[in-house]
Amino acid sequence: MQQLGKEGNWLIDGLDDSSRDHVMHLVPPVPRFVLLRILGIGHRHDFAALWKGADAASIPSQPIPKAA
């Protein structure tokens, strides 16, 4: 389960608002809260420390193509 929390945060990290909203709503609210706010909290902190001030932090994410 801890791995799912890390992967969930990895998937949405750096996405623009539209893409983040799209991905976030693929998972129901309660499991999404548990995965991102409880199981994945360590990943958010680790990622922020890793990329802070690095050149990669300024590279924008690519939008997720929406299905028609």
Side-chain angles (χ1 to χ4, degrees):
M1 289 300 282
Q2 196 76 13
Q3 185 64 28
L4 285 175
K6 288 181 180 184
E7 290 176 7
N9 277 286
W10 177 79
L11 282 172
I12 61 172
D13 198 30
L15 290 178
D16 60 73
D17 291 339
S18 175
S19 296
R20 180 181 167 86
D21 186 58
H22 174 76
V23 172
M24 294 288 282
H25 287 90
L26 295 174
V27 179
V30 173
R32 180 174 63 223
F33 178 84
V34 171
L35 287 171
L36 299 179
R37 303 291 181 194
I38 298 172
L39 298 176
I41 195 164
H43 176 74
R44 285 199 321 266
H45 295 293
D46 293 344
F47 186 84
L50 177 68
W51 292 109
K52 184 177 180 179
D55 291 339
S58 64
I59 299 172
S61 66
Q62 298 297 311
I64 297 173
K66 303 289 192 284

